[in-house]
Amino acid sequence: MLKLKIIFLFSWFLCYVCDFNSVDSAIYMPNEVKGGLSFRNCNSTPVPLTFEHVDIQPDPVQMDLGYVNLSMNATLTKMIGNSSKVDASLSIRLKTEHGETELCYILGEKCYVSDVCHWVKSTLNIPTCTFPPFQGKLFHKRRHFTDLPFIVKGQFTIKANVRELGEPVACLEWTMCLNDCSLL
C-alpha cells in the first residue's frame, strides 16, 4: 500500500508541478535549504536548459488547498525535442531524522522515462514536445490537483537528468516540502 501511495504522489508531482509544456529552464539556489523550496542546476558540464528563478507558493506545498502557484524564469540555448530519443531519470529522496532514503529503490521503473516526448504528449495532452531556443522566459501558472486519499508530509529532494540522443539537456535538483517540513 505504501508503494502505491508513493507512486501516486510522484505521478501527481510530475504531472502538475513539472509541467513540461511550460517548464522553460532557469536556476535559483538559495544559500541554505531551511525546509522550503530550493532549486539548483546539478550538471557538471554546460547544458542548454537552465533556470534563473523558480518559486512555488504556498511553501511548503499544502496539498489540502488543491493548488500550487508555480513561477519560473528559464533560458534554453538550443532546440530540444526534435528527436524521439529524449529520456529522463529521477532520484527521489525523502529526508528523515535517520538520514535520507532513496525512494526510487521502491518505485523502480517509475523513476526512468525512456521517451519524454511520448510522455509529454500522452500525459499532458500536448501535441508536440519540441522547444525552440528562448532567453529569460518568465512563466506563472496555477496548477490544480485533487486531494490524495492519504496525508504526505516531509522534505523531498528530487533530481532529474534529461538527455537527448545521450547528450545532457538539463540536470535539475530541487528540495521541497509537502504539508510540513518536519522530519519523519
Side-chain angles (χ1 to χ4, degrees), residues 66-100:
Y67 70 90
V68 65
N69 292 316
L70 176 65
S71 67
M72 55 183 66
N73 191 2
T75 299
L76 179 63
T77 59
K78 74 173 194 173
M79 174 77 82
I80 61 170
N82 279 333
S83 76
S84 61
K85 303 282 187 187
V86 179
D87 66 283
S89 57
L90 294 174
S91 166
I92 304 167
R93 297 182 314 270
L94 170 61
K95 189 172 184 178
T96 69
E97 62 186 17
H98 303 291
E100 289 187 342

Side-chain angles (χ1 to χ4, degrees), residues 91-135:
S91 166
I92 304 167
R93 297 182 314 270
L94 170 61
K95 189 172 184 178
T96 69
E97 62 186 17
H98 303 291
E100 289 187 342
T101 302
E102 176 56 64
L103 298 178
C104 284
Y105 292 137
I106 298 167
L107 297 172
E109 64 186 43
K110 297 286 185 187
C111 289
Y112 179 73
V113 178
S114 61
D115 187 350
V116 172
C117 287
H118 174 72
W119 184 87
V120 166
K121 290 175 187 175
S122 63
T123 307
L124 301 177
N125 296 320
I126 297 169
T128 182
C129 68
T130 57
F131 299 94
F134 55 81
Q135 179 149 4

Side-chain angles (χ1 to χ4, degrees), residues 24-93:
D24 314 322
S25 296
I27 283 193
Y28 169 69
M29 183 63 183
N31 293 332
E32 234 176 78
V33 176
K34 296 182 179 175
L37 174 74
S38 70
F39 278 74
R40 76 177 185 93
N41 187 346
C42 52
N43 56 287
S44 58
T45 60
V47 291
L49 186 57
T50 58
F51 288 88
E52 288 91 30
H53 172 80
V54 177
D55 187 46
I56 291 178
Q57 292 298 322
D59 186 14
V61 172
Q62 300 299 309
M63 297 186 70
D64 60 342
L65 291 178
Y67 70 90
V68 65
N69 292 316
L70 176 65
S71 67
M72 55 183 66
N73 191 2
T75 299
L76 179 63
T77 59
K78 74 173 194 173
M79 174 77 82
I80 61 170
N82 279 333
S83 76
S84 61
K85 303 282 187 187
V86 179
D87 66 283
S89 57
L90 294 174
S91 166
I92 304 167
R93 297 182 314 270

Side-chain angles (χ1 to χ4, degrees), residues 136-182:
K137 188 173 181 181
L138 187 60
F139 160 77
H140 295 284
K141 196 164 195 177
R142 176 176 276 203
R143 300 298 299 169
H144 294 275
F145 51 86
T146 8
D147 286 334
L148 295 173
F150 51 89
I151 296 173
V152 177
K153 72 173 192 169
Q155 187 180 70
F156 295 84
T157 300
I158 299 102
K159 181 177 180 179
N161 282 294
V162 180
R163 293 166 298 279
E164 183 171 21
L165 297 172
E167 294 295 317
V169 171
C171 180
L172 183 61
E173 183 175 87
W174 63 96
T175 297
M176 62 177 284
C177 294
L178 296 178
N179 292 317
D180 188 345
C181 291
S182 60

